[in-house]
Amino acid sequence: MEEQRTFRVRVVDTLIDDEPQQRGGRLFTTTRRVDAIRASIGEMHEIYWWDKQNAGWRSIDELQNPVDEDIVFQAVKQKGLQGPALAFEQLLLQAGIEPRSVVLQKIAYRFASQKLAVTTPDQEKYLYETAESLPGTTTAADILNETHLSVNGPLSEETPPYLLSAVNEDGQHLVVKMLLDSQHMPELSIVADIFSGVRDRGVRGLVVPRASSIRQHIGQSNVSVLIMPRMLMSMDRCPMYPASALKNAIENVRAGISFLHTKDWVHMDIKLDNIVVDSTQALLTDYGAAVRRGDLVQQATLQWFPAGWGIIGEPAFFCYDMHLLLVALLVHCHKYNGRWQDKLMEHKHISLQKIKVAVSELGDRDLKSVAEDLMVASIVPDADISFACEKVKELVESAKASDGKYLIGYLKFLS
């Protein structure tokens, strides 16, 4: 087997005539054969090497085997040619990013399939910044020292790239969620408030993350860490549950939702993707969209709500979580026959009339009873109505102009 050597290459748009700098360009590793070097740099480049004796650049075609390991190369992008690597770097430049080799290596290793799917500068920028934010060896060592976790990641190419696979010193498999200040920091304060005083994982029906004190600067973002148990899979990927198992899973998640409501939080993003399961339990996770009851909703999947409900920019209520859990139940019941959209939606939104029909058609008596309870809790929410009435009274008495949006939202809900 031929010995591997490290060479330096500067990738440019046009040939630069000056002598290469000692540290200029990128490092790549290959054998000392010309054909191996050409393959490593890429077919979409014209490759030149610095001839020290004559102090000039010469074509790689004039280079003899084996190649001097101190040689420096210059790779000129061929105009008019498009290949995956060249197109990828061109999109980076269009996005205003000067790529770093360490980040490109992360993309090649972690996001091979996403890289092939990138077609616009915005997509390219998101992928590059995501890869840049993944922990390098220094951050991974800090996580290990702080939490006694060994991290790798992401979990898979199908999951968000900020979710990393981890294992603790007892061999328990966990998930580490990297919280970028620019994207996820509200979630850290939400989790801290919801689970203050909760020890270990002692809440039925909820994934209880614990926040680490790690604060690292990675790429362009500051990062904190959430640590969660790793479950078998999301319910969206599960085989069809038998009626009794589905009833138990929904009741389990409803217990978790009830806990959130005792803390005065509305989850606002209950769906099969956010319900994770193992062989014994179903747990609700992902609190990034959560909002305090009565505060204005910042994000929601609008197709899960009837078209006239508005939701975004209006006050949050507990009944929204019950509605979303009912929809998740019915989607699971019908997704395997490919008919759940026809059964539940109208004009790209959930239809309350279709929901009522779908509940009435459930064959299992106990599961139907659970669904009926959820429907009542979402359509006739006594606690939310009382809450809204009190808020309207308070806002009318205070008569603050800044409260107008809340007042309109409460009145719309009551109507």
Side-chain angles (χ1 to χ4, degrees):
M1 184 174 178
E2 292 187 77
E3 188 176 0
Q4 300 282 302
R5 293 292 183 181
T6 298
F7 296 94
R8 193 176 295 277
V9 58
R10 181 195 291 180
V11 179
V12 294
D13 290 314
T14 57
L15 187 65
I16 299 174
D17 291 332
D18 62 334
E19 184 173 352
Q21 299 297 315
Q22 184 70 21
R23 295 183 175 275
R26 301 180 198 158
L27 298 178
F28 67 98
T29 302
T30 184
T31 68
R32 294 171 62 189
R33 295 182 58 81
V34 170
D35 56 350
I37 292 170
R38 192 194 303 272
S40 296
I41 296 176
E43 296 179 358
M44 297 302 148
H45 298 84
E46 296 174 353
I47 304 168
Y48 299 87
W49 59 281
W50 181 254
D51 182 352
K52 297 178 183 176
Q53 185 174 354
N54 297 304
W57 293 98
R58 299 175 63 182
S59 170
I60 194 172
D61 296 331
E62 302 175 40
L63 198 55
Q64 302 296 315
N65 283 317
V67 175
D68 181 349
E69 57 195 84
D70 293 330
I71 254 178
V72 177
F73 292 93
Q74 191 169 181
V76 181
K77 300 172 186 176
Q78 294 187 42
K79 292 178 171 54
L81 290 178
Q82 288 292 324
L86 180 57
F88 189 80
E89 292 195 17
Q90 285 178 338
L91 286 174
L92 276 176
L93 292 172
Q94 290 176 34
I97 294 173
E98 195 66 46
R100 297 189 298 125
S101 58
V102 65
V103 181
L104 294 176
Q105 288 168 7
K106 285 183 183 181
I107 292 172
Y109 177 54
R110 303 293 189 190
F111 308 115
S113 62
Q114 284 106 313
K115 178 180 176 181
L116 292 174
V118 166
T119 58
T120 69
D122 285 344
Q123 293 173 344
E124 178 77 25
K125 183 177 181 181
Y126 174 79
L127 182 59
Y128 185 89
E129 290 178 347
T130 296
E132 190 177 40
S133 299
L134 287 179
T137 53
T138 301
T139 305
D142 288 340
I143 294 174
L144 181 63
N145 291 335
E146 174 74 20
T147 65
H148 306 290
L149 297 180
S150 178
V151 298
N152 188 21
L155 289 177
S156 71
E157 287 208 356
E158 289 75 34
T159 56
Y162 47 78
L163 295 179
L164 310 179
S165 177
V167 64
N168 66 13
E169 52 193 354
D170 297 324
Q172 181 186 10
H173 290 271
L174 302 166
V175 175
V176 170
K177 186 171 186 177
M178 307 294 289
L179 296 171
L180 309 184
D181 281 4
S182 58
Q183 299 174 27
H184 306 114
M185 278 312 293
E187 186 173 356
L188 192 65
S189 58
I190 290 169
V191 165
D193 186 83
I194 291 174
F195 298 110
S196 59
V198 175
R199 299 187 180 278
D200 301 321
R201 296 189 296 275
V203 179
R204 181 187 171 207
L206 292 177
V207 170
V208 179
R210 62 185 178 92
S212 165
S213 59
I214 295 172
R215 294 284 295 161
Q216 285 291 329
H217 185 77
I218 304 177
Q220 300 301 312
S221 299
N222 289 312
V223 177
S224 295
V225 174
L226 285 181
I227 301 163
M228 298 168 280
R230 183 170 185 175
M231 303 293 282
L232 183 62
M233 67 179 73
S234 71
M235 202 165 172
D236 185 53
R237 295 177 175 267
C238 288
M240 181 67 185
Y241 267 51
S244 59
L246 181 57
K247 168 185 171 292
N248 291 338
I250 295 299
E251 287 183 333
N252 211 39
V253 173
R254 185 171 183 177
I257 294 170
S258 297
F259 173 84
L260 295 181
H261 292 178
T262 64
K263 296 277 191 170
D264 220 29
W265 284 91
V266 186
H267 188 280
M268 288 305 304
D269 197 22
I270 298 166
K271 54 188 177 184
L272 295 178
D273 306 66
N274 287 339
I275 299 173
V276 291
V277 297
D278 61 15
S279 58
T280 61
Q281 58 186 337
L283 304 176
L284 181 62
T285 187
D286 197 342
Y287 309 101
V291 62
R292 284 196 174 278
R293 180 169 65 157
D295 284 354
L296 302 183
V297 175
Q298 300 300 314
Q299 54 181 307
T301 306
L302 295 181
Q303 68 170 350
W304 298 132
F305 295 94
W309 282 23
I311 305 299
I312 299 293
E314 297 186 2
F317 295 98
F318 294 157
C319 61
Y320 295 159
D321 283 349
M322 298 304 172
H323 168 80
L324 289 170
L325 184 59
L326 174 60
V327 171
L329 184 160
L330 294 173
V331 168
H332 183 81
C333 288
H334 291 286
K335 72 174 185 173
Y336 295 97
N337 60 21
R339 297 179 55 210
W340 73 264
Q341 289 97 335
D342 293 337
K343 294 289 292 185
L344 304 176
M345 301 188 79
E346 189 171 327
H347 304 303
K348 298 183 180 180
H349 284 269
I350 288 294
S351 163
L352 286 182
Q353 185 58 40
K354 288 189 174 184
I355 287 282
K356 292 176 184 177
V357 173
V359 170
S360 70
E361 292 177 348
L362 291 173
D364 183 84
R365 183 178 63 184
D366 292 337
L367 183 61
K368 184 176 181 179
S369 177
V370 169
E372 288 173 342
D373 286 346
L374 288 173
M375 188 164 59
V376 170
S378 62
I379 295 176
V380 191
D382 292 340
D384 284 333
I385 290 172
S386 299
F387 173 83
C389 288
E390 287 297 318
K391 286 294 184 180
V392 167
K393 183 180 177 181
E394 291 176 12
L395 292 174
V396 169
E397 289 177 352
S398 67
K400 293 180 181 177
S402 59
D403 292 334
K405 196 167 186 177
Y406 287 88
L407 180 58
I408 292 170
Y410 291 130
L411 290 173
K412 181 178 178 181
F413 176 78
L414 291 172
S415 66

